[in-house]
Amino acid sequence: MVEEESLRVVRCGGSELNFRRAVFSADSKYVFCVSGDFIKVYSTATEECVHILQGHRNLVTGIQLNPKNHLQLYSCSFDSTIKLWDYTDGILIKTFIVGCKLHALFTLDCAEDSVFVIINKEKPDVFQLVSVKLPKSSSQEIEAKELSFVLDYINQSPKCIAFGNEGEYVAAVRDFYLSVYFFKKKTTSRFTLSSSRNKKHAKNNFTCVACHPKEDCIATGHRDGKIRLWRNFDDEKKYTYTCLHWHHDLVMDLAFSVTGSSLLSGGRESVLVEWREAAEKNKEFLPRLGATIEHISVSPAGDLFCTSHSDNKMIIIHRNLEASAVIQGLVKDRNIFTGLMIDPRTKALVLNGKPGHLQFYSLQSDKQLYNLDIIQQEYINDYGLIQIELTKAAFGCYGNWLATVEQRQEKETELELQMKLWTYNKKTQGFVLNTKVNMPHEDHITALCFCNAEKSENPTLVTTSKDGHFKVWILTDDSDIYKKAVGWTCDFVGSYHKYQATNCCFSEDGSLLAVSFEEIVTIWDSETWELKCTFCQRAGKIRHLCFGRLTCSKYLLGATENGILCCWNLLSCALEWSAKLNVRVMEPDPNSENIAAVSQSSMGSDLFVFRPSEPRPLYIQKNISREEVQWGVFVPRDVPESFTSEAYQWLNRSQFYFLTKSQSLLTFSTQSPEEKLTPTSKQLLAEETLPTTPFYFILGKHRQQQQDDKLNEALENELIQLPLTENIPAISELLHTPAHVLPSASFLCSMFVNSLLLSKETKSAEEIPDDVSMEEEKESVDSDEENNFTEEVQDTNNTDLGKDIIHQLSKSEEKELRKFRKVDYSWMTAL
C-alpha cells in the first residue's frame, strides 16, 4: 500500500551523461558522471550503474575525487552547495553551503582543505575562478563563505580551465586570450592571438586547454582544428608555441596522459587522436566512435580513458586504444518527431535516436537496448546539408509490424517522401524491411496508425496527409513462382471537402475510424469505408484525437489548437461535454478508461487525469514541469501497484512518462532512483575481493564458502528451501553475461548445475528427524533443559514412527558422522 503523500514527479532518464567530463576512481573500477540532479556511478567492467548519488536540488555541474581520500567524491551544483560523498556506500557525508551558483569544480593535491570553483559575478557573462576554503566541522551542513579570487574574465566551461605541473599554475582560455596564473609568484601572464577580424578566414578562438602534469607545457585547442603547445610562458616576451594539426573542425577537448608522454584530442570527426611525445609524426587513431567527442578523461592509474559523446554516451577505452565498454544514455536528437512509443514486445521506450535511427530504450535499467537503422544511409556531418528526417513511426499487431515515414525537402516544391513497413523476424529477433512505398502521399504525412483490435484478421494501416487524403493500407499476398511473400498495398483513399487530414485513430474494437480534417472530425466504417457521421464545433484545428476505452469506448475526444477539449458521444452523435484547456499532450491508458492530458500555461505544464464519461478530473497536479511537455505515453506495469487513494488509482496498472522540451524524461513514482537499482547492481559495488562481474556471484561465493569452515558448519545444520530459479541472481546474471567474459564451459558447468540442485546433506523439514534438530539446540541450553528436550523428542519419535523406532545416535557419534561427511572423495573418480 502506498501513501498518498509519497507520490512525486521524478527524473527517470534522459539526463545528459556528457554534460561534464567523467571521473574515474583511483583503482579504475568505477567511473562517475553527472546526470541532471544526480551523480551516477558505473562499473567500468560491466557497464552497470551501481549507485545513484542524489541530494542536490539543481543541476550538478562538477565532480572530482577527494585528493585526501580516494574513496570520497566532491560535487558542486547550481543549488550553491558543494557535497562530499562516500561513493562506495552511496552516502552523503557533508554539505558545504557556498551561497552562489557553482559552474565547475576543481581539486588539487597541494591545496589543503580548499577546492576551486567557477562562479558568476554580477554580469551574466562574467565568470571568476575562486578558491573556497572548506572548514572542518562535525556537523553535516557547514557554511563555506571564505572565497579567494584567482582569475577573472574566464569561460564558464571547465574545459577552458586546467591546472599544471602539480598545481604550480592554472591556465584559462576565452575567445582569443590565454591567461596563466602562478600561485607562488601570485602573478598573471596573458597571451593574445590574432582575431578573425584582422586576418582573413582565421579561426584562432580558443576552445579548450590542458596542462602537462609534470612540465611547464600548456596545450590549447582552437576553432580551426589546430592544437598549440605553449612553453616558456612565464615570460610574456620569450614564450613560444608549436602547432599540431589534424582535425578539420574545432578541437572539442584535450587531455594529457598521467605521465604526460602523450596528448589526447577529439572533435567532430568522431576520432580519438593520441599525439605521442607531442609530435606531429607520432599519431595513433581510434576512429568511428559514432558521434562528436565532447569530453576526454584519463584515469588516475593511467590504464583507461573515457570519451563523452554528443549522442549522450560514454566509451571506456584501454591504454592501447581499444574500446572496452559503452555506456549509452537516452540519445538527444534535435527534434523528437516520432513522439514516445512503447514496443509491445520488449516494453522499451521507442523514439528518434541517432540521425535516421529509432532507439529502443529500457526504462527499467535506464540504458539503451539497441538502435534500428531506418534510413540506411551513411550520415554526413555537415551543417549546411539538408538531411533525411525520420518523422513518423507506429507499432501494430502487438509488435509484429512497424511503420516508419522519412522525408527530405530542400525546396518547397521538392519533397522526397518514403514509407517503410517492417516485420518482426523471430529468428533474428529484430525488424526486417518488408515493403517500401515511394511518395505514398503528395504532401507531408501528418499521422499514421494501425488497427490493433484483437479480432482484426487482416493488418490495417491508415495514413493522413496535408494533400487532403487519408489512405488505408492492407497486407496482401505477394507470392510468386519463386517464393511466398506478403506485402502492403493501398486499399482505399478517402477525403472530405479537400480539407487537410491532420489526425487519425481506430476505436478499441477496430470497427470505427476517426479522421480529423482541420476543424471537422469524420467517422468511417472500417468494414465498408463509408462515412457515418461528422462532428464540427468550429473550435479550431484538431490537434489530438483519441477514442475512449473499455466502458468508455462510446466516447471520442478531440483537443483543438484554440484550447478547447471536446468529448463526443458516438451513440447519440452529439457533444457530451467540452472544457477550456490548452492541451499539448493527450494519451489514453491502454489498461483502463483513464486519459492523461497535459496543458500548457504561463506558469508551466499541468497534468489532468480524467475519464471521458465525466468531465470532472480524477487527478490534477499543477506545475509538473516548468518547461513545455512535448510528448507523453502510458507504460503498462508488469506488477500492478496498490494505490488505495481514488486520486492515485490511475497509476495502479500503468505508469505515465512524459518528455519535456529539453528532452528530460520524467514520471510519477514513489521510489527514488537509488531504490530502483537491482540488488545485483548494488552487490557489484559491495564486493571487493574479486573482479565485479556477474560471474563472481557463482565463483566468489563458492570460494568464500570453502574458506569459511565455521559458516559452512552453520549452513549445513540449517533447513534450506530451494528458491525458484528466476529468483537466483547468479543464474539470471549468467544468462545475460557476454560469452567472451565467461570462463571455459567445463569449469563453469559444475557450479552452474550445483546452483540449481539441492544438496544431498540438505533435507526437507519432513525428512530430518526431530532428535537431530533437537541435538543442534543442546549447545545453547543448560544440562537440565537438555534432558527435558531429549525426553520430548523421544516421545515425539515414538508417536510419529510407531513401531519402527530408529536408533538414536549420541552426540559424539553425530560429530564423527559430520566430519566424515566433509571428506572429499572426488579423487576416487580418477582411479
Side-chain angles (χ1 to χ4, degrees), residues 151 153-155 160-162 170-174 177-180 209:
L151 273 176
Y153 192 72
I154 61 173
N155 197 306
C160 297
I161 297 285
V170 57
V173 296
R174 176 171 177 168
Y177 304 98
L178 167 65
S179 303
V180 183
V209 64

Side-chain angles (χ1 to χ4, degrees), residues 556-613:
L556 175 67
L557 288 157
T560 69
E561 292 183 350
N562 292 346
I564 303 296
L565 177 62
C566 302
C567 179
W568 293 282
N569 190 321
L570 297 174
L571 299 180
S572 62
C573 295
L575 181 68
E576 187 79 7
W577 55 265
S578 64
K580 192 171 183 180
L581 198 64
N582 185 19
V583 177
R584 294 300 179 92
V585 174
M586 186 167 66
E587 285 293 326
D589 183 1
N591 291 341
S592 70
E593 299 92 346
N594 301 321
I595 292 179
V598 180
S599 68
Q600 181 69 23
S601 64
S602 58
M603 301 297 294
S605 297
D606 307 325
L607 174 70
F608 298 86
V609 180
F610 62 93
R611 292 178 180 173
S613 56

Side-chain angles (χ1 to χ4, degrees), residues 4 28 73 110-112 176-177 218 304 324 348 414 440 445 473 571 641 646 708 730 745 760 810:
E4 193 172 316
S28 301
L73 185 78
C110 57
E112 294 184 3
F176 301 95
Y177 304 98
I218 298 175
L304 293 177
S324 64
E414 298 178 0
I445 293 179
W473 308 81
L571 299 180
E641 284 285 0
E646 184 180 356
D708 196 350
K760 288 183 179 180
S810 65

Side-chain angles (χ1 to χ4, degrees), residues 10-37:
V10 297
R11 190 188 306 271
C12 60
S15 299
E16 294 182 359
L17 302 179
N18 58 350
F19 181 62
R20 289 290 186 259
R21 284 174 179 155
V23 174
F24 285 95
S25 61
D27 55 6
S28 301
K29 286 186 177 180
Y30 310 108
V31 62
F32 314 98
C33 67
V34 302
S35 179
D37 304 346

Side-chain angles (χ1 to χ4, degrees), residues 95-334:
T95 299
F96 300 94
I97 303 172
V98 181
C100 55
K101 265 190 175 183
L102 308 177
H103 294 264
L105 176 70
F106 307 92
T107 58
L108 285 179
D109 294 341
C110 57
E112 294 184 3
D113 302 326
S114 295
V115 296
F116 296 87
V117 296
I118 296 178
I119 63 172
N120 183 217
K121 294 306 286 181
E122 301 170 355
K123 295 183 180 180
D125 197 34
V126 177
F127 297 91
Q128 291 182 343
L129 177 68
V130 297
S131 172
V132 181
K133 185 173 180 58
L134 304 179
K136 293 182 179 180
S137 174
S138 58
S139 60
Q140 255 198 328
E141 288 195 0
I142 312 164
E143 288 194 356
K145 301 294 185 181
E146 188 177 339
L147 307 181
S148 303
F149 170 79
V150 179
L151 273 176
D152 202 356
Y153 192 72
I154 61 173
N155 197 306
Q156 62 175 324
S157 172
K159 294 191 293 186
C160 297
I161 297 285
F163 292 82
N165 201 355
E166 300 179 349
E168 288 190 2
Y169 59 88
V170 57
V173 296
R174 176 171 177 168
D175 299 332
F176 301 95
Y177 304 98
L178 167 65
S179 303
V180 183
Y181 178 80
F182 298 91
F183 288 99
K184 292 182 179 179
K185 301 178 184 177
K186 294 185 178 181
T187 58
T188 303
S189 300
R190 298 186 184 274
F191 309 94
T192 307
L193 293 178
S194 59
S195 64
S196 56
R197 297 177 182 177
N198 301 331
K199 191 175 181 181
K200 189 177 181 180
H201 304 303
K203 297 180 180 179
N204 289 332
N205 313 59
F206 289 94
T207 57
C208 54
V209 64
C211 295
H212 197 285
K214 308 286 185 184
E215 303 173 2
D216 289 341
C217 176
I218 298 175
T220 58
H222 299 266
R223 191 179 173 188
D224 57 3
K226 293 181 181 179
I227 300 171
R228 290 177 169 85
L229 298 175
W230 302 73
R231 289 183 169 84
N232 300 327
F233 44 80
D234 54 343
D235 192 329
E236 295 184 6
K237 296 182 179 180
K238 296 181 180 180
Y239 75 93
T240 60
Y241 66 77
T242 57
C243 284
L244 305 175
H245 196 185
W246 180 86
H247 300 277
H248 81 278
D249 208 335
L250 77 165
V251 180
M252 297 296 293
D253 200 11
L254 295 169
F256 277 98
S257 61
V258 174
T259 59
S261 60
S262 61
L263 174 68
L264 301 170
S265 66
R268 290 177 177 166
E269 303 85 2
S270 307
V271 178
L272 180 65
V273 185
E274 182 181 10
W275 309 81
R276 294 182 178 174
E277 303 298 336
E280 183 83 30
K281 296 180 180 180
N282 298 332
K283 295 190 296 289
E284 295 291 336
F285 303 96
L286 179 59
R288 294 182 291 277
L289 294 178
T292 299
I293 297 175
E294 295 197 343
H295 300 284
I296 303 173
S297 305
V298 180
S299 66
D303 56 338
L304 293 177
F305 305 140
C306 179
T307 56
S308 303
H309 296 261
S310 59
D311 61 350
N312 204 27
K313 75 180 174 192
M314 300 189 302
I315 300 179
I316 309 299
I317 301 168
H318 282 296
R319 186 64 185 83
N320 58 356
L321 294 187
E322 288 186 2
S324 64
V326 177
I327 300 170
Q328 177 71 69
L330 189 67
V331 177
K332 299 301 185 76
D333 198 9
R334 290 171 294 176

Side-chain angles (χ1 to χ4, degrees), residues 446-447 464 499-505 514-522 534-546 556-568 575 583-584 586:
T446 55
T464 61
Y499 289 128
Q500 290 184 354
T502 55
N503 292 279
C504 62
C505 65
V515 181
S516 63
F517 292 89
E518 298 183 11
E519 296 183 349
I520 301 171
V521 179
T522 59
T534 60
F535 299 114
C536 180
Q537 300 306 128
R538 296 297 179 185
K541 186 180 291 187
I542 301 295
R543 179 185 288 167
H544 301 286
L545 199 65
C546 74
L556 175 67
L557 288 157
T560 69
E561 292 183 350
N562 292 346
I564 303 296
L565 177 62
C566 302
C567 179
W568 293 282
L575 181 68
V583 177
R584 294 300 179 92
M586 186 167 66

